[in-house]
Amino acid sequence: TFVFATPRYWGAKDSWSAERRAEGVFRDVRVIDGVDLAQLLEQTPSVSLWLAQKLGRVPTGIRLLGDAWREWAFSTAIPLTEQLILTGRDDPSTEIHRWLNGDADAIGIQGESTSEAIAFLYASLSDYPRDLFDAYMSRVVVVDAPEIARDIANVPVPLIVVLAEMDPGISNLLVSKGHHVFQAYGSGIGAPDRITVLPRIG
C-alpha cells in the first residue's frame, strides 16, 4: 500500500488515488491530507498533545499519561517499575480494567499522593497487550486545570480523562459527554464517598 501524506488541503486526493490504484502498481493507494490530519488530532488528544510537544507548543494544564508516569517513576534514585506499584494491589487494578471496559463513568483512586494514583493507572494499563495498551494510551490525557477539562468535554470521541483532585462537577460533566473519568486523590479530603484507597506496598 502506498500512502501519500501532506499537511496541505488536497481537494483532488480521491480522484488521484483512484487513478493510481487503477495502474495496479500497488495493492492500494491512499492520501492523507491536512483535513484528515486535523480530524485525527481532534479525535486523539494524546496524539495531538504529543505533536504539540514536538512543535514546542504544549498548552499548560494538560499532560500525557506517559509523562506523568515518568515523573513519578524517576523521582527516586532507582527508577520504580510498573510491577512494583501493582504489587499487592490486584483488586484495584481489576477494578480499573472493569471501569475501562464499561460505559462512561468516573472512578476515584487515592494513593499516597495524586502522582502515585495517576502512576497506578499507567501501571494498570501496562498489563494489557501492546496493541490494546497503545489504543488506550492514545485516548488518555491528564488534566490539571479546570478550564482545560471543560474544553475537553466537547471532544467528539470518548476519552479517558485523568483529573488531579478536581471539582466533582467537572467529573460529572465529562461523564455526561461520554468520557471515562479517572479522579486521582492524594488524601480523602474532598473525595467522594465512592473511592478506592490503594493499600500501602509492603
Side-chain angles (χ1 to χ4, degrees):
T1 299
F2 178 82
V3 180
F4 184 94
T6 173
R8 298 177 180 272
Y9 167 70
W10 187 1
K13 66 181 180 181
D14 292 336
S15 58
W16 183 87
S17 58
E19 289 170 12
R20 299 292 81 78
R21 267 193 300 274
E23 292 170 357
V25 177
F26 295 97
R27 186 190 64 188
D28 196 6
V29 176
R30 299 194 183 170
V31 176
I32 300 170
D33 73 352
V35 174
D36 299 321
L37 290 170
Q39 289 174 345
L40 169 68
L41 293 174
E42 186 180 66
Q43 293 172 5
T44 54
S46 65
V47 177
S48 181
L49 184 55
W50 169 85
L51 180 61
Q53 287 179 330
K54 296 292 182 187
L55 298 175
R57 297 180 177 215
V58 180
T60 56
I62 187 168
R63 295 177 284 156
L64 292 171
L65 182 59
D67 290 340
W69 161 258
R70 282 183 287 278
E71 288 168 15
W72 183 82
F74 286 86
S75 63
T76 55
I78 298 173
L80 302 170
T81 65
E82 294 91 334
Q83 292 77 20
L84 178 65
I85 194 173
L86 293 174
T87 300
R89 296 170 163 181
D90 291 344
D91 289 346
S93 186
T94 300
E95 192 177 339
I96 286 175
H97 293 168
R98 243 188 257 114
W99 162 72
L100 286 170
N101 290 324
D103 295 332
D105 198 3
I107 187 173
I109 299 288
Q110 180 189 335
E112 294 288 317
S113 64
T114 55
S115 297
E116 184 193 12
I118 293 169
F120 184 76
L121 172 62
Y122 178 91
S124 296
L125 290 177
S126 73
D127 262 357
Y128 286 112
R130 186 69 203 195
D131 58 341
L132 195 52
F133 171 77
D134 288 341
Y136 278 124
M137 289 295 285
S138 72
R139 294 173 44 214
V140 182
V141 287
V142 180
V143 180
D144 300 311
E147 58 276 10
I148 298 286
R150 290 187 191 96
D151 290 343
I152 281 178
N154 296 315
V155 171
V157 294
L159 302 178
I160 302 165
V161 183
V162 179
L163 301 178
E165 296 198 37
M166 212 172 288
D167 186 331
I170 292 174
S171 174
N172 294 337
L173 170 67
L174 289 162
V175 170
S176 73
K177 299 277 188 173
H179 305 296
H180 281 72
V181 178
F182 182 93
Q183 296 171 293
Y185 295 94
S187 75
I189 300 171
D193 295 335
R194 195 180 66 167
I195 189 171
T196 298
V197 180
L198 296 176
R200 297 195 70 175
I201 297 171

